[in-house]
Amino acid sequence: MKQQMKVLNEKMIDCKRFGTVLLAVGIFFYLGVIIPVDAKNELAVNTMVLSSTSFIALSILFFIQYKQCQMKLLEMDDNQDLYN
C-alpha cells in the first residue's frame, strides 16, 4: 500500500510539472500571436494559434490528471487510517 501511494504521489508531481511547463509554452506561443510584427505571415500566425491552443489543452488535461491522482491519494490515505 505504501509503495502504491509513493508511485501515485510521484505521478501526481509529474503531472503538475508537465501541466505547468505546457502552460508556459502555450502562453509563449500566444504572446507570439498577439505581439504585432510586420514579418509574420498568415501561416505563421495560424501555426502559433494552433500550437498555443494545443499546449494549453494538454496542460488542462495534465492538471485534471493531477487532481484525480490527488483525490485518489487522499482516498487511499483515509482508507489506510481506517484500517490502522
Side-chain angles (χ1 to χ4, degrees):
M1 189 74 153
K2 289 277 188 186
Q3 182 67 24
Q4 189 179 10
M5 288 175 69
K6 183 178 178 182
V7 169
L8 192 59
N9 188 37
E10 291 172 356
K11 183 178 178 181
M12 184 180 74
I13 291 169
D14 285 344
C15 286
K16 187 173 183 180
R17 286 181 184 162
F18 287 144
T20 304
V21 169
L22 289 171
L23 183 64
V25 172
I27 291 171
F28 176 74
F29 279 121
Y30 182 71
L31 288 175
V33 172
I34 62 172
I35 295 175
V37 176
D38 293 333
K40 286 193 290 190
N41 57 12
E42 188 174 334
L43 178 63
V45 171
N46 289 338
T47 304
M48 285 188 286
V49 167
L50 181 63
S51 298
S52 176
T53 305
S54 300
F55 279 108
I56 291 174
L58 281 172
S59 173
I60 291 170
L61 290 176
F62 273 107
F63 281 125
I64 290 171
Q65 185 72 25
Y66 163 76
K67 194 64 176 174
Q68 289 174 347
C69 288
Q70 187 180 34
M71 293 302 223
K72 189 171 182 180
L73 190 62
L74 286 173
E75 180 182 306
M76 289 173 68
D77 192 33
D78 287 343
N79 287 340
Q80 186 177 11
D81 288 343
L82 290 175
Y83 292 122
N84 289 335

